[in-house]
Amino acid sequence: MAFDPARIREQFPILATRPMGRPLHYLDNAATAQIPQTVIDAITAHETTHRANVTRGVHALAEAATEAYEGARHIVARYMNATADSEVVFTYGTTSAINLAAHALGEGLGEGDEIVLSVAEHHANLVPWLMLRERKGVTLRFLPVTDEGRIDLSALNNLVRERCKVITLTHCSNVTGAITDFRPVVAAARAVGAKVLVDGAQMAPKGQFDASELGADLYAFSGHKVYGPNGIGVLWGRRDVLSAMPPFMGGGGMIRSVSLESVTYGDPPKRFEAGTPPIAQAVGLGAALNWVMSGYLDGAHKHMDRLTLRIIERLQGIPGARLVGPANMEERVGVVSFALDGLHPHDIAQILDRHGVAVRGGHHCAEPLMTRFGLTGTARASLAPYNTDEDVDALFEAIEDALRTFSGH
Ligand SMILES: Cc1ncc(COP(=O)(O)O)c(C=O)c1O
């Protein structure tokens, strides 16, 4: 059966709402994707019948909650083809996953050690490393970005040197939509024994993947971008890599034993999950990934590629419009950033909002990338499988209105 966005739309209650009395054209999926009814139901059912703390209780409800939480871990493991559930650490999102990794990997590093990242990184994969530099004196080296908006991997040979300990890059840019080819990255890392951390926030929603086949040592993503709730994320790690990492946060649930003199830590993943974890959120994430794996999205990529290309081509027809990202569909996703001559991205987003078109305007938490393109921000339309040709039409009607409004015609 051909992919039908209408079948997807009917599962997302928010898409039938009419904010400001108009149909909603939700094109801010790179920030947060919407959530299907089945995920809402799974969270509600958990909170209604299985709410308790995990691991620590022996009563039936605590056991049921633990089973649900660990069941969600198993679903994540299946989604990313992990070899064991214990490779999946629950975090609060991509940001907290990367902070965990930066702290743990950075613990043994010092002056002279090098981390390679790129100018295209989201602040979530930049600031934790800037903080590590402040704490430990490590050197950060940045891969540049091409005019097309791709991380320039031809610079790897120059940048990755003997003292490189970590290469950390986005799998897919939240600004340009460009997908990173990890083959040369992994080869460069292996040559010097560096770890590879992948920021998968924008790529994980595209469907099942295999982080270890990609060559990653660690892979981070967020629940709210994969049709799940917020407040939950994942740091997947190869078993030997996680086992060698010290904990980040301390507290209940992550220890083997504690006395007033000393503490020993539990094995991964528990070592990295101090305190009460986001239990209902994990259950919701599991339901969301099950939904993605259920076959509903078969054929969605082709549909989204077609819509993305429509947006790009229509932008190219607007005088003064500038696309920030690849103009073809090769190795890119449906995240389309653009600038309109003389219009501030916030103004664009505000006028579009009057038409019920939700896009993001600003620096998208990627200020160095904006600087690279000589911009303070862009407007960004980002697609999900439930988007339609009507959404694209509404986007361009609204853009024309913005152009009219600001040119005074
Ligand atoms: C590429 C990328 N990395 C990291 C993040 C941070 O994700 P979160 O805010 O869910 O922690 C985002 C969010 O937009 C992103 O797009």
Side-chain angles (χ1 to χ4, degrees):
M1 197 167 40
F3 177 77
D4 179 7
R7 262 186 86 219
I8 306 296
R9 291 183 75 75
E10 64 197 20
Q11 300 182 51
F12 286 77
I14 204 167
L15 298 178
T17 63
R18 295 171 63 87
M20 301 188 353
R22 292 173 187 275
L24 172 63
H25 300 285
Y26 189 77
L27 293 169
D28 196 17
N29 296 287
T32 285
Q34 294 302 343
I35 189 168
Q37 187 64 50
T38 180
V39 175
I40 300 169
D41 290 346
I43 297 168
T44 306
H46 178 83
E47 294 290 43
T48 310
T49 60
H50 286 137
R51 183 177 167 90
N53 213 327
V54 292
T55 333
R56 279 158 254 181
V58 284
H59 56 82
L61 212 48
E63 275 179 20
T66 304
E67 212 171 287
Y69 182 66
E70 293 305 325
R73 197 190 305 279
H74 184 66
I75 297 168
V76 176
R78 201 152 59 80
Y79 189 72
M80 46 198 313
N81 205 21
T83 53
D85 295 359
S86 59
E87 294 181 342
V88 174
V89 178
F90 281 126
T91 67
Y92 299 92
T94 305
T95 304
S96 80
I98 295 174
N99 273 276
L100 190 173
H103 260 265
L105 295 177
E107 193 57 34
L109 303 186
E111 265 179 48
D113 289 323
E114 298 182 351
I115 316 280
V116 169
L117 44 168
S118 90
V119 173
E121 299 314 306
H122 187 285
H123 294 168
N125 196 29
L126 172 61
V127 180
W129 304 104
L130 296 175
M131 291 163 77
L132 182 68
R133 181 169 68 185
E134 277 173 20
R135 280 200 314 279
K136 298 280 188 174
V138 297
T139 300
L140 305 184
R141 295 164 69 80
F142 293 93
L143 289 162
V145 167
T146 67
D147 290 344
E148 208 197 5
R150 295 188 183 283
I151 297 173
D152 185 356
L153 298 176
S154 69
L156 274 169
N157 282 349
N158 279 339
L159 286 196
V160 180
R161 306 189 300 192
E162 218 168 283
R163 294 286 301 268
C164 176
K165 300 296 185 221
V166 182
I167 305 182
T168 179
L169 298 172
T170 190
H171 199 169
C172 173
S173 165
N174 65 309
V175 175
T176 70
I179 297 172
T180 308
D181 177 6
F182 269 87
R183 281 167 302 186
V185 176
V186 170
R190 297 274 183 270
V192 295
K195 301 278 181 293
V196 174
L197 167 62
V198 181
D199 173 354
Q202 294 297 336
M203 201 60 184
K206 304 300 159 205
Q208 274 182 284
F209 61 99
D210 188 323
S212 87
E213 198 174 273
L214 187 71
D217 293 294
L218 295 159
Y219 195 104
F221 70 93
S222 298
H224 66 103
K225 297 188 202 279
V226 290
Y227 317 106
N230 49 31
I232 183 81
V234 168
L235 179 68
W236 168 88
R238 279 203 354 243
R239 197 197 304 239
D240 56 318
V241 175
L242 288 182
S243 296
M245 279 167 41
F248 172 34
M249 292 203 298
M254 49 78 75
I255 51 94
R256 198 183 299 279
S257 72
V258 184
S259 71
L260 295 185
E261 285 72 39
S262 67
V263 51
T264 54
Y265 306 117
D267 291 329
K270 294 290 165 200
R271 185 189 301 169
F272 305 109
E273 295 180 0
T276 299
I279 303 163
Q281 290 87 340
V283 170
L285 172 61
L289 297 183
N290 267 343
W291 180 81
V292 175
M293 289 189 280
S294 67
Y296 279 119
L297 300 185
D298 292 353
H301 290 303
K302 227 166 122 188
H303 165 72
M304 286 164 68
D305 281 1
R306 188 179 63 75
L307 293 185
T308 306
L309 208 52
R310 263 197 76 200
I311 296 176
I312 291 171
E313 284 170 1
R314 287 199 62 174
L315 278 173
Q316 286 170 328
I318 297 176
R322 176 179 171 197
L323 174 71
V324 179
N328 59 46
M329 288 313 301
E330 241 167 78
E331 297 302 309
R332 69 124 57 232
V333 300
V335 173
V336 185
S337 281
F338 58 95
L340 298 175
D341 219 7
L343 267 70
H344 193 281
H346 285 160
D347 293 334
I348 301 173
Q350 231 162 33
I351 296 214
L352 268 52
D353 188 45
R354 288 189 212 152
H355 293 255
V357 177
V359 300
R360 183 141 296 223
H363 56 57
H364 314 295
C365 296
E367 283 195 55
L369 186 59
M370 292 297 135
T371 305
R372 155 68 180 84
F373 284 106
L375 297 165
T376 53
T378 65
R380 181 186 71 186
S382 52
L383 296 167
Y386 40 70
N387 287 124
T388 59
D389 283 293
E390 287 75 42
D391 292 329
V392 175
D393 293 341
L395 169 68
F396 282 92
E397 268 169 40
I399 287 176
E400 273 153 30
D401 183 26
L403 289 169
R404 271 194 308 273
T405 306
F406 284 93
S407 68
H409 299 137

